[in-house]
Amino acid sequence: MKTCFTIKNRSMKSKILALLCGVLFGSGLLLSGLGDPAKVIGFLDISRISDGSWDPALMVVMTGALAVYMSLFYLVVKPRVRANLAPVCETQYHLPEKKTLDRQLIIGAGLFGLGWGSVGICPGPAIVNIATLDMNLGLFLLAMLFGLYIGKLINSAQPDMVKAS
């Protein structure tokens, strides 16, 4: 597989592209107001539909994101994968191979949803809002990092647990 960048340049171009994507993502979150946990809770609390205070903004933003992603995936990525072409800043695509739901995915999604629904913050907005220096956000980030560490420990121990049984 050939890419348009040499190995030497690919690393720097990949970092610049990641930075630009991060700025685009963060700008979109802030512009849409979804960096504000109250806005997210306003969407997740469907009991507000009856009194008219429910906020559909998150659904609108997610629909727009899904439309852009699906268009690019089916018009650019999928044809490139079929033609055995590499991405611009990588040597290969890293697409999911697993096609089924398993216990680990369901539990992880449930834990993520529980955390997100409880405080209205998920990892993306949490990182975007670091600049606010909010102590509650700092605690959330520490808890998130601890959860990531625990998840990594559990994932690394799983092959050993399978061998032991």
Side-chain angles (χ1 to χ4, degrees), residues 40-106:
V40 174
I41 295 292
F43 169 76
L44 295 175
D45 185 0
I46 59 172
S47 69
R48 295 179 179 188
I49 292 174
S50 61
D51 68 8
S53 66
W54 180 70
D55 186 356
L58 180 60
M59 183 171 45
V60 173
V61 170
M62 292 301 293
T63 301
L66 194 57
V68 170
Y69 172 78
M70 286 181 64
S71 300
L72 287 173
F73 182 78
Y74 286 105
L75 296 174
V76 177
V77 175
K78 214 162 184 181
R80 289 185 61 85
V81 169
R82 283 193 194 116
N84 207 21
L85 297 172
V88 174
C89 293
E90 272 291 335
T91 56
Q92 67 180 26
Y93 283 98
H94 301 279
L95 300 175
E97 295 175 12
K98 192 190 256 186
K99 306 283 188 221
T100 59
L101 299 177
D102 61 8
R103 187 175 141 207
Q104 183 178 1
L105 175 65
I106 292 168

